[in-house]
Coordinates of all heavy atoms in Angstrom, one line a residue:
M19 N 0.8 -1.2 0.0 CA 0.0 0.0 0.0 C 0.9 1.3 0.0 O 1.9 1.3 0.7 CB -0.9 0.0 1.3 CG -1.7 1.2 1.4 SD -2.7 1.1 2.9 CE -1.6 1.6 4.2
Y20 N 0.5 2.2 -0.8 CA 1.3 3.4 -0.9 C 1.0 4.3 0.3 O -0.1 4.5 0.7 CB 1.0 4.3 -2.1 CG 1.7 3.7 -3.4 CD1 1.0 3.0 -4.3 CD2 3.0 3.9 -3.5 CE1 1.6 2.5 -5.4 CE2 3.7 3.4 -4.6 CZ 3.0 2.7 -5.6 OH 3.6 2.2 -6.7
I21 N 2.1 4.8 1.0 CA 1.9 5.7 2.1 C 2.2 7.1 1.6 O 1.5 8.0 1.9 CB 3.0 5.3 3.2 CG1 2.7 3.9 3.7 CG2 2.9 6.3 4.3 CD1 1.4 3.7 4.5
C22 N 3.3 7.2 0.8 CA 3.7 8.5 0.3 C 3.4 8.5 -1.2 O 4.2 7.9 -2.0 CB 5.1 8.9 0.6 SG 5.7 10.4 -0.1
I23 N 2.4 9.2 -1.6 CA 2.0 9.2 -3.1 C 3.0 10.0 -3.8 O 3.4 9.6 -4.9 CB 0.6 9.8 -3.3 CG1 -0.4 9.0 -2.4 CG2 0.2 9.8 -4.7 CD1 -0.7 7.6 -2.8
C24 N 3.4 11.1 -3.3 CA 4.4 12.0 -4.0 C 5.6 11.3 -4.4 O 6.1 11.5 -5.5 CB 4.7 13.2 -3.1 SG 3.4 14.3 -2.7
K25 N 6.2 10.5 -3.5 CA 7.4 9.8 -3.8 C 7.2 8.3 -4.2 O 8.2 7.6 -4.4 CB 8.4 9.9 -2.6 CG 8.8 11.3 -2.3 CD 9.8 11.7 -3.4 CE 10.4 13.1 -3.1 NZ 11.5 13.4 -3.9
G26 N 6.0 7.9 -4.2 CA 5.7 6.5 -4.5 C 6.3 5.5 -3.5 O 6.9 4.5 -3.9
I27 N 6.2 5.8 -2.2 CA 6.8 5.0 -1.2 C 5.7 4.1 -0.5 O 4.7 4.6 -0.1 CB 7.5 5.8 -0.2 CG1 8.6 6.6 -0.9 CG2 8.1 5.0 1.0 CD1 9.2 7.7 0.0
T28 N 6.0 2.8 -0.4 CA 5.0 1.9 0.2 C 5.3 1.6 1.7 O 6.4 1.9 2.2 CB 5.0 0.6 -0.6 OG1 6.3 0.0 -0.4 CG2 4.8 0.7 -2.0
D29 N 4.3 1.0 2.3 CA 4.5 0.7 3.7 C 5.6 -0.3 3.9 O 6.4 -0.3 4.8 CB 3.2 0.2 4.4 CG 2.6 -1.0 3.6 OD1 2.9 -1.2 2.4 OD2 1.8 -1.7 4.2
S30 N 5.8 -1.3 2.9 CA 6.8 -2.3 3.0 C 8.2 -1.6 2.9 O 9.1 -2.0 3.7 CB 6.8 -3.2 1.8 OG 5.5 -3.8 1.7
Q31 N 8.4 -0.6 2.1 CA 9.7 0.1 2.0 C 10.0 0.8 3.3 O 11.1 0.8 3.8 CB 9.6 1.2 0.9 CG 9.7 0.6 -0.5 CD 9.5 1.7 -1.5 OE1 8.4 2.1 -1.8 NE2 10.6 2.1 -2.1
I32 N 9.0 1.4 4.0 CA 9.2 2.1 5.2 C 9.6 1.1 6.3 O 10.5 1.3 7.1 CB 7.9 2.9 5.6 CG1 7.8 4.1 4.6 CG2 8.1 3.4 7.1 CD1 6.5 4.8 4.7
R33 N 8.8 0.0 6.4 CA 9.2 -1.1 7.4 C 10.6 -1.6 7.2 O 11.3 -1.8 8.1 CB 8.2 -2.3 7.3 CG 6.8 -2.0 7.8 CD 6.0 -3.2 7.7 NE 4.6 -2.9 7.9 CZ 4.0 -2.7 9.1 NH1 4.7 -2.9 10.2 NH2 2.7 -2.4 9.2
E34 N 10.9 -1.8 5.9 CA 12.2 -2.3 5.6 C 13.3 -1.3 6.0 O 14.4 -1.7 6.5 CB 12.3 -2.5 4.0 CG 13.1 -3.7 3.6 CD 13.0 -4.0 2.1 OE1 11.9 -4.5 1.7 OE2 13.9 -3.6 1.4
A35 N 13.1 -0.1 5.7 CA 14.1 1.0 6.1 C 14.3 1.0 7.6 O 15.4 1.0 8.1 CB 13.6 2.3 5.7
V36 N 13.2 0.8 8.4 CA 13.3 0.8 9.9 C 14.1 -0.4 10.3 O 15.0 -0.3 11.1 CB 11.9 0.9 10.5 CG1 12.0 0.7 12.0 CG2 11.2 2.2 10.2
C37 N 13.7 -1.5 9.7 CA 14.4 -2.8 10.1 C 15.9 -2.8 9.7 O 16.7 -3.4 10.3 CB 13.7 -4.0 9.4 SG 12.1 -4.3 10.1
S38 N 16.2 -1.9 8.7 CA 17.6 -1.8 8.3 C 18.4 -0.7 9.0 O 19.5 -0.4 8.6 CB 17.7 -1.6 6.8 OG 17.0 -2.6 6.1
G39 N 17.8 -0.1 10.0 CA 18.5 0.8 10.8 C 18.0 2.2 10.9 O 18.5 3.0 11.6
A40 N 17.0 2.6 10.1 CA 16.4 3.9 10.1 C 15.5 4.0 11.4 O 14.4 3.6 11.3 CB 15.6 4.2 8.9
S41 N 16.1 4.4 12.5 CA 15.4 4.3 13.8 C 14.6 5.5 14.2 O 14.1 5.6 15.3 CB 16.5 4.0 14.9 OG 17.4 5.0 14.8
S42 N 14.4 6.4 13.3 CA 13.6 7.6 13.6 C 12.9 8.1 12.3 O 13.2 7.7 11.2 CB 14.5 8.7 14.1 OG 15.3 9.2 13.1
L43 N 11.9 9.0 12.5 CA 11.2 9.5 11.4 C 12.1 10.3 10.5 O 12.0 10.3 9.3 CB 10.1 10.5 12.0 CG 8.9 10.8 11.1 CD1 8.2 9.5 10.7 CD2 8.0 11.8 11.8
R44 N 13.1 11.0 11.1 CA 14.0 11.8 10.4 C 14.9 10.9 9.5 O 15.1 11.2 8.3 CB 14.9 12.6 11.3 CG 16.0 13.3 10.6 CD 17.0 14.0 11.6 NE 16.5 15.3 11.9 CZ 17.1 16.2 12.6 NH1 18.3 15.9 13.1 NH2 16.6 17.4 12.9
S45 N 15.3 9.8 10.0 CA 16.1 8.8 9.2 C 15.3 8.3 8.0 O 15.9 8.2 6.9 CB 16.6 7.6 10.1 OG 17.2 8.1 11.2
V46 N 14.1 8.0 8.3 CA 13.2 7.5 7.2 C 13.1 8.5 6.1 O 13.1 8.3 4.9 CB 11.8 7.0 7.7 CG1 10.9 6.7 6.6 CG2 12.0 5.8 8.6
R47 N 12.9 9.8 6.5 CA 12.7 10.9 5.6 C 14.0 11.0 4.8 O 14.0 11.2 3.5 CB 12.4 12.2 6.3 CG 12.2 13.3 5.3 CD 11.7 14.6 6.0 NE 12.6 15.0 7.0 CZ 12.3 15.6 8.2 NH1 11.0 15.8 8.5 NH2 13.2 15.9 9.1
Q48 N 15.2 11.0 5.4 CA 16.4 11.2 4.7 C 16.7 10.0 3.8 O 17.2 10.2 2.7 CB 17.6 11.3 5.7 CG 17.6 12.6 6.4 CD 18.6 12.7 7.5 OE1 19.1 11.7 8.0 NE2 18.9 13.9 8.0
Q49 N 16.4 8.8 4.2 CA 16.7 7.6 3.5 C 15.8 7.4 2.3 O 16.2 7.1 1.2 CB 16.6 6.4 4.4 CG 17.4 5.2 3.9 CD 17.5 4.1 4.9 OE1 17.9 4.4 6.1 NE2 17.1 2.9 4.6
L50 N 14.5 7.7 2.5 CA 13.5 7.4 1.4 C 13.0 8.6 0.7 O 12.5 8.5 -0.4 CB 12.3 6.6 1.9 CG 12.6 5.2 2.5 CD1 11.4 4.6 3.1 CD2 13.2 4.3 1.5
G51 N 13.0 9.7 1.4 CA 12.5 10.9 0.8 C 11.0 11.1 1.1 O 10.4 12.1 0.5
A52 N 10.4 10.3 2.0 CA 9.0 10.5 2.4 C 8.9 11.8 3.1 O 9.8 12.3 3.7 CB 8.6 9.3 3.3
M53 N 7.7 12.4 3.0 CA 7.4 13.7 3.6 C 8.2 14.9 3.1 O 8.3 15.9 3.8 CB 7.6 13.5 5.2 CG 6.8 12.4 5.8 SD 7.3 12.1 7.5 CE 8.9 11.3 7.3
T54 N 8.8 14.8 2.0 CA 9.6 15.9 1.5 C 8.9 16.7 0.5 O 9.4 17.7 -0.1 CB 10.9 15.4 0.9 OG1 10.6 14.4 -0.2 CG2 11.8 14.7 1.9
Q55 N 7.6 16.4 0.2 CA 6.9 17.2 -0.8 C 5.6 17.8 -0.1 O 5.8 18.8 0.7 CB 6.6 16.5 -2.0 CG 7.8 16.3 -2.9 CD 7.6 15.8 -4.3 OE1 6.5 15.8 -4.8 NE2 8.6 15.5 -5.0
C56 N 4.5 17.2 -0.3 CA 3.3 17.9 0.3 C 3.2 17.7 1.8 O 2.5 18.4 2.5 CB 2.0 17.3 -0.4 SG 1.6 15.7 0.1
G57 N 3.8 16.6 2.3 CA 3.8 16.3 3.8 C 2.5 15.6 4.3 O 2.4 15.4 5.5
K58 N 1.6 15.3 3.4 CA 0.3 14.7 3.8 C 0.5 13.3 4.4 O -0.3 12.7 5.1 CB -0.7 14.6 2.7 CG -1.3 16.0 2.4 CD -2.3 15.9 1.3 CE -2.9 17.2 1.0 NZ -3.7 17.3 -0.3
C59 N 1.7 12.7 4.1 CA 1.9 11.3 4.5 C 2.6 11.3 5.9 O 2.9 10.2 6.4 CB 2.8 10.6 3.5 SG 4.4 11.5 3.2
A60 N 2.9 12.4 6.5 CA 3.6 12.5 7.7 C 3.0 11.7 8.9 O 3.7 10.9 9.5 CB 3.8 13.9 8.1
A61 N 1.7 11.9 9.1 CA 1.1 11.2 10.2 C 1.1 9.7 10.1 O 1.4 9.0 11.0 CB -0.4 11.7 10.4
Q62 N 0.8 9.3 8.8 CA 0.8 7.8 8.6 C 2.2 7.2 8.7 O 2.4 6.1 9.2 CB 0.2 7.5 7.2 CG -0.7 6.3 7.2 CD -1.4 6.1 5.9 OE1 -1.4 7.0 5.1 NE2 -1.9 4.9 5.7
T63 N 3.2 8.0 8.2 CA 4.5 7.5 8.2 C 5.0 7.4 9.6 O 5.6 6.4 10.0 CB 5.5 8.4 7.4 OG1 5.0 8.5 6.1 CG2 6.9 7.9 7.4
R64 N 4.7 8.4 10.4 CA 5.1 8.4 11.8 C 4.5 7.2 12.6 O 5.2 6.5 13.3 CB 4.6 9.7 12.5 CG 4.9 9.7 14.0 CD 4.5 11.0 14.7 NE 5.2 12.1 14.2 CZ 4.7 13.2 13.6 NH1 3.4 13.2 13.3 NH2 5.5 14.2 13.2
Q65 N 3.2 6.9 12.3 CA 2.6 5.8 13.0 C 3.2 4.5 12.6 O 3.5 3.6 13.4 CB 1.1 5.8 12.6 CG 0.3 4.8 13.4 CD -1.2 4.8 12.9 OE1 -1.6 5.6 12.2 NE2 -1.9 3.7 13.3
L66 N 3.5 4.4 11.3 CA 4.1 3.1 10.8 C 5.5 2.9 11.3 O 5.9 1.8 11.7 CB 4.2 3.2 9.3 CG 4.6 1.9 8.5 CD1 3.7 0.7 8.9 CD2 4.5 2.2 7.0
V67 N 6.3 4.0 11.4 CA 7.7 3.9 12.0 C 7.6 3.5 13.4 O 8.3 2.6 13.9 CB 8.4 5.3 11.8 CG1 9.7 5.3 12.6 CG2 8.7 5.5 10.3
N68 N 6.7 4.1 14.2 CA 6.6 3.8 15.6 C 6.1 2.4 15.8 O 6.7 1.6 16.7 CB 5.6 4.8 16.3 CG 6.2 6.1 16.5 OD1 7.4 6.3 16.4 ND2 5.4 7.1 16.6
E69 N 5.2 1.9 15.0 CA 4.7 0.5 15.1 C 5.8 -0.4 14.8 O 6.0 -1.4 15.5 CB 3.6 0.3 14.0 CG 2.2 0.6 14.5 CD 1.2 0.4 13.3 OE1 1.5 -0.4 12.4 OE2 0.2 1.2 13.4
T70 N 6.6 -0.1 13.8 CA 7.6 -1.1 13.3 C 8.7 -1.1 14.4 O 9.2 -2.2 14.7 CB 8.2 -0.6 12.0 OG1 7.1 -0.5 11.1 CG2 9.2 -1.7 11.4
I71 N 9.1 0.1 15.0 CA 10.1 0.1 16.0 C 9.7 -0.7 17.2 O 10.4 -1.5 17.8 CB 10.4 1.6 16.4 CG1 11.2 2.3 15.3 CG2 11.2 1.6 17.7 CD1 11.4 3.7 15.5
S72 N 8.4 -0.6 17.6 CA 7.9 -1.4 18.7 C 7.9 -2.9 18.5 O 7.8 -3.7 19.4 CB 6.6 -0.9 19.2 OG 5.6 -1.2 18.3
E73 N 7.8 -3.3 17.2 CA 7.8 -4.7 16.9 C 9.2 -5.4 16.8 O 9.3 -6.6 16.9 CB 7.1 -4.9 15.5 CG 5.6 -4.7 15.5 CD 5.0 -4.6 14.1 OE1 5.7 -4.8 13.1 OE2 3.8 -4.2 14.0
I74 N 10.2 -4.5 16.7 CA 11.6 -5.1 16.6 C 12.4 -5.0 17.8 O 12.0 -4.5 18.8 CB 12.4 -4.5 15.4 CG1 12.5 -3.0 15.4 CG2 11.8 -5.0 14.1 CD1 13.3 -2.4 14.3
Ligands
FES29 FE1 4.4 12.1 1.0 FE2 3.2 14.0 -0.4 S1 2.4 12.1 0.1 S2 5.2 14.1 0.5

């Protein structure tokens, strides 16, 4: 499922980034480019990052 439409980033990519060491929202943004355009994906990305961190 697409989380960031602007950059075409999926939930799987975000989970993968977190599992590969992107341990914060900022790291995910820097690594994938999510939230760098309209910003509408920020809340969903934050939730997904927090969920993934709590699972690992
Ligand atoms: Fe992610 Fe626009 S949907 S920056």
Side-chain angles (χ1 to χ4, degrees):
M19 177 179 82
Y20 281 104
I21 300 294
C22 178
I23 303 295
C24 295
K25 293 288 187 172
I27 299 166
T28 64
D29 57 339
S30 306
Q31 286 174 280
I32 292 171
R33 284 182 197 278
E34 216 172 282
V36 173
C37 291
S38 304
S41 56
S42 67
L43 201 60
R44 176 185 273 188
S45 305
V46 170
R47 183 173 59 215
Q48 285 171 346
Q49 204 170 305
L50 299 177
M53 304 170 285
T54 56
Q55 287 193 9
C56 75
K58 286 183 181 166
C59 57
Q62 220 177 343
T63 304
R64 178 180 292 116
Q65 191 184 344
L66 187 57
V67 167
N68 288 338
E69 269 175 31
T70 309
I71 287 171
S72 71
E73 287 167 8
I74 55 179

